[in-house]
Amino acid sequence: MNQAADDTLARLWSALREIEDPEIPVSLVDMGLIVSVAYVAATQTATLTITYTAMGCPAMDMIQDDIRARLMREPDVAHVDIEVVWDPVWTQRRLSQAARETMRGLGVSV
């Protein structure tokens, strides 16, 4: 990958940190919902692999819409492809330390 693509990928991760889970004020990155992010400069495509805390998560569509809307604001992104996976299974181990602290402050046991 070239430097420009590396820079874009870093900006994509930064943008994803701005998107909060709709139920808890913690970024999707800190929640551990973003499994991977790839960027193809030739097609200006951001490809994400994401998971959810539960298969029945009522916010699935909202989260994907928020991801697409935020990443499409990036100058080098023309397409956002999202794949939902259930392996790896989400567990509390995927939470960042910052997420744990925020959740504890809200009275959520983690």
Side-chain angles (χ1 to χ4, degrees), residues 41-87:
T43 58
Q44 294 188 317
T45 301
T47 302
L48 287 80
T49 304
I50 66 173
T51 193
Y52 293 98
T53 57
M55 284 186 145
C57 175
M60 287 179 172
D61 291 338
M62 181 186 307
I63 289 171
Q64 290 182 50
D65 290 346
D66 288 350
I67 289 170
R68 282 190 183 89
R70 177 58 190 91
L71 295 186
M72 290 298 291
R73 292 185 359 226
E74 291 299 309
D76 299 327
V77 176
H79 309 281
V80 176
D81 294 330
I82 300 172
E83 178 185 8
V84 176
V85 296
W86 300 106
D87 182 17

Side-chain angles (χ1 to χ4, degrees), residues 25-39:
V26 173
S27 82
L28 300 181
V29 173
D30 286 332
M31 283 291 294
L33 300 182
I34 310 299
V35 176
S36 67
V37 180
Y39 177 73

Side-chain angles (χ1 to χ4, degrees), residues 90-102:
W90 186 91
T91 68
Q92 290 182 0
R93 288 178 302 205
R94 295 188 62 85
L95 292 169
S96 72
Q97 189 58 39
R100 291 172 189 279
E101 291 170 11
T102 298

Side-chain angles (χ1 to χ4, degrees), residues 2 6 24 69 73 92:
N2 64 35
D6 286 345
I24 302 171
R73 292 185 359 226
Q92 290 182 0

